[in-house]
Amino acid sequence: MRWRWALALVLLAGCGLRQSLLQPPVPPAPPGATEVGSKRCADCHEEIYKSFRRSVHARAASFETGLKGGCESCHGPGSLHVEEGDPGKIRSFARLSPAEEAAVCVQCHRTGDLMNWSGSAHAMAEVGCTRCHSIHKA
């Protein structure tokens, strides 16, 4: 009986379903939020913006990631945050669980070591990506 369960997991992993079953979805953006572009973020977060522009993540092309790039690829659409100045109107990694954090990162990091984040030692220990990694720094 155990071999059937193991076979089912192998089959699910092979077709990509294992990740979606064990990994929560990317936390949703606030309702009504739209993209404003990274330059709007720089109006208030100038030092972070300048540092991010020198990072590997800033140089990732949209054809490599499937996302447009910039701040909103990770933090979600920023229009409501920009208009209201409310930190609760943007995806802040400080408020995400390690699994939610990883769900954002895995949008791009789908191969190599990060391909199997769900079920990994880090996932089981509830260690999020930003505990060791900072994408804002060069």
Side-chain angles (χ1 to χ4, degrees):
M1 189 63 120
R2 284 185 180 181
W3 68 269
R4 288 183 183 161
W5 178 247
L7 179 61
L9 283 177
V10 168
L11 291 173
L12 288 173
C15 61
L17 293 177
R18 181 177 158 266
Q19 186 74 16
S20 64
L21 290 172
L22 298 176
Q23 176 99 19
V26 173
T34 58
E35 292 186 2
V36 294
S38 294
K39 289 185 180 176
R40 291 295 305 274
C41 303
D43 291 344
C44 296
H45 305 283
E46 185 177 359
E47 290 304 313
I48 293 171
Y49 177 79
K50 284 180 181 177
S51 181
F52 176 74
R53 298 305 309 155
R54 295 186 303 269
S55 75
V56 170
H57 288 92
R59 293 189 300 270
S62 61
F63 69 84
E64 295 173 300
T65 64
L67 300 171
K68 289 183 179 179
C71 305
E72 292 168 307
S73 288
C74 299
H75 293 285
S79 63
L80 298 177
H81 174 67
V82 169
E83 292 165 10
E84 300 174 24
D86 181 354
K89 300 285 184 173
I90 193 84
R91 186 182 300 132
S92 169
F93 282 72
R95 293 190 308 267
L96 298 180
S97 72
E100 291 170 326
E101 207 176 275
V104 174
C105 298
V106 171
Q107 290 180 101
C108 297
H109 293 278
R110 292 186 180 142
T111 59
D113 293 339
L114 292 177
M115 187 170 77
N116 295 314
W117 189 87
S118 292
S120 71
H122 289 95
M124 294 299 134
E126 296 184 6
V127 175
C129 305
T130 61
R131 176 166 283 165
C132 300
H133 303 280
S134 173
I135 70 161
H136 295 140
K137 296 181 179 161

